[in-house]
């Protein structure tokens, strides 16, 4: 095989980049501390400059959204920081404009808000489990881009992450939830059938990413089979995107094997679990 043919084969290969080796507990805790210090600096700047930051965490069941949200806010001021994890809508909320119950939780000046699942429930679990009609789903897919454009136009900095894990890893984590008495609260009827509907969730995810990835509000993929790498690199990516006083002169750089800006070609590149 010629050098050009070899190069072409490597370029068109569907093999995703290999994940880095797992971190030791000490290396992980040391780096997490360093990054959380940077998050405190970032929040101080958000408060001083009356900025509004909104982070959306989406992903499969057991992808690690709770753990990432916890590490993001662990040492931040609770007065200016909120994690929003809404439950099933009430009977009244089901009659409201779909975005209404989310809108009241958006950040005001000086605030950082993290949505642990968001309005994208309609494109994921509601779509797969039949909790919304086809008409409701299509209306959402058409309107969400306009909604997010309004948010960004109002001065909110919006960052969207999709945490992706493999089927074996999801199976392992769901089993761990069932066996660990301290994680019983995480088990839901939807969790119990997550593996059964794996392929349907994959299709819903792909369509969501393709249709709601915009220049104003792009998606970022986090390969989350390693909780430690996912947590550290999502925080790095968030810090890298935002200017703040006291930021290291050489910047903060996420591992490009872990956090990947979404583009349609990723769907055929073996990056996302099928």
């Amino acid at each position: 095989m010629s050098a050009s043919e070899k190069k072409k084969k490597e370029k068109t290969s569907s093999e995703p980049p290999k994940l880095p080796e797992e971190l030791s507990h000490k290396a992980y805790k040391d780096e997490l501390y360093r990054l959380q210090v940077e998050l405190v600096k970032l929040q101080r700047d958000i408060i001083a400059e009356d900025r509004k930051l909104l982070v959306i965490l989406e992903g499969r069941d057991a992808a690690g959204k709770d753990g990432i949200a916890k590490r993001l806010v662990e040492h931040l001021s609770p007065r200016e920081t909120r994690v929003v994890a809404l439950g099933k809508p009430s009977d009244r909320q089901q009659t409201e404009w779909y975005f209404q119950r989310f809108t009241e939780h958006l950040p005001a000046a000086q605030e950082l808000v993290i949505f642990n699942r968001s309005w994208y429930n309609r494109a994921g679990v509601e779509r797969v489990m039949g909790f919304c009609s086809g008409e409701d789903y299509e209306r959402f897919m058409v309107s969400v881009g306009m909604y997010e454009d309004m948010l960004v136009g109002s001065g909110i900095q919006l960052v969207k992450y999709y945490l992706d894990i493999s089927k074996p890893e999801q199976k392992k984590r769901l089993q761990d939830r069932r066996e660990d008495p301290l994680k019983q609260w995480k088990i839901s009827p939807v969790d119990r059938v997550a593996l059964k509907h794996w392929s349907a969730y994959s299709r819903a995810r792909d369509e969501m990413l393709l249709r709601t990835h915009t220049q104003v509000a792009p998606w970022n993929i986090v390969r989350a089979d390693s909780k430690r790498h996912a947590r550290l690199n999502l925080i790095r990516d968030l810090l890298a995107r935002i200017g703040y006083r006291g930021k290291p002169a050489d910047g903060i750089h996420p591992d490009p094997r872990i956090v990947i800006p979404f583009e349609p070609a990723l769907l055929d590149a073996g990056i996302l679990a099928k």
Side-chain angles (χ1 to χ4, degrees):
M1 182 184 295
S2 67
S4 60
E5 288 175 330
K6 185 176 180 181
K7 186 175 182 180
K8 184 177 180 181
K9 183 178 180 181
E10 289 174 351
K11 190 173 183 180
T12 58
S13 173
S14 61
E15 284 295 316
K18 289 184 178 180
L19 294 171
E21 293 183 4
E22 190 56 273
L23 293 167
S24 69
H25 178 73
K26 184 180 187 307
Y28 165 69
K29 296 299 286 187
D30 287 349
E31 179 63 3
L32 180 62
Y33 176 82
R34 185 183 77 86
L35 293 172
Q36 287 178 328
V37 169
E38 295 301 315
L39 285 170
V40 170
K41 294 180 190 176
L42 170 61
Q43 183 176 54
R44 193 163 55 214
D45 207 60
I46 289 173
I47 294 170
E49 299 295 329
D50 286 341
R51 294 154 76 180
K52 298 176 282 187
L53 178 58
L54 175 62
V55 178
I56 288 179
L57 301 179
E58 288 290 343
R60 294 185 186 268
D61 294 312
K65 298 177 291 296
D66 294 334
I68 286 176
K70 177 181 177 180
R71 274 72 184 181
L72 279 167
V73 305
E74 193 169 10
H75 298 289
L76 300 183
S77 166
R79 288 188 297 276
E80 290 85 13
T81 309
R82 285 181 286 121
V83 176
V84 179
L86 301 182
K88 180 182 176 182
S90 66
D91 291 343
R92 182 182 188 280
Q93 287 172 332
Q94 290 183 40
T95 70
E96 296 174 347
W97 174 49
Y98 177 69
F99 293 101
Q100 189 166 331
R101 73 187 188 116
F102 300 100
T103 301
E104 65 177 294
H105 297 285
L106 294 172
Q110 303 185 2
E111 288 185 339
L112 161 61
V113 173
I114 298 167
F115 273 86
N116 183 349
R117 291 199 182 279
S118 66
W119 42 85
Y120 283 105
N121 274 343
R122 178 136 294 179
V125 64
E126 290 189 20
R127 170 70 163 170
V128 172
M129 301 301 295
F131 297 156
C132 69
S133 68
E135 181 182 354
D136 289 337
Y137 168 80
E138 193 58 37
R139 184 180 298 114
F140 168 79
M141 296 296 274
V142 170
S143 61
V144 66
M146 293 183 283
Y147 178 69
E148 291 177 349
D149 185 68
M150 286 190 293
L151 299 187
V152 174
S154 74
I156 292 175
Q157 184 161 5
L158 172 60
V159 187
K160 302 191 302 190
Y161 294 104
Y162 184 89
L163 278 63
D164 199 61
I165 55 173
S166 64
K167 191 173 183 179
E169 183 63 23
Q170 185 186 58
K171 182 178 180 179
K172 175 177 172 292
R173 293 184 188 182
L174 291 175
Q175 182 65 30
D176 182 51
R177 286 183 180 182
R178 287 189 287 269
E179 295 175 353
D180 188 338
L182 296 178
K183 297 181 180 179
Q184 296 296 303
W185 63 272
K186 291 188 174 186
I187 301 173
S188 72
V190 172
D191 288 336
R192 293 189 181 98
V193 295
L195 287 166
K196 177 182 176 181
H197 295 288
W198 176 271
S199 295
Y201 274 114
S202 294
R203 292 191 295 272
R205 173 205 62 199
D206 293 354
E207 185 171 1
M208 179 192 78
L209 292 172
L210 282 170
R211 296 184 62 183
T212 65
H213 174 72
T214 65
Q215 185 174 0
V216 169
W219 280 105
N220 304 283
I221 306 301
V222 181
R223 300 173 72 196
D225 269 15
S226 165
K227 290 182 180 181
R228 290 176 178 177
H229 282 300
R231 291 167 183 170
L232 296 179
N233 282 286
L234 189 147
I235 296 173
R236 287 178 187 137
D237 185 81
L238 183 63
L239 292 167
R241 292 175 180 277
I242 305 170
Y244 58 92
R245 283 168 285 191
K247 190 173 185 175
D250 58 349
I252 296 175
H253 309 285
D255 188 327
R257 296 170 294 180
I258 304 294
V259 182
I260 306 171
F262 176 74
E263 56 179 284
L266 291 183
L267 299 181
D268 299 316
I271 299 293
L272 292 157
K274 294 293 187 182

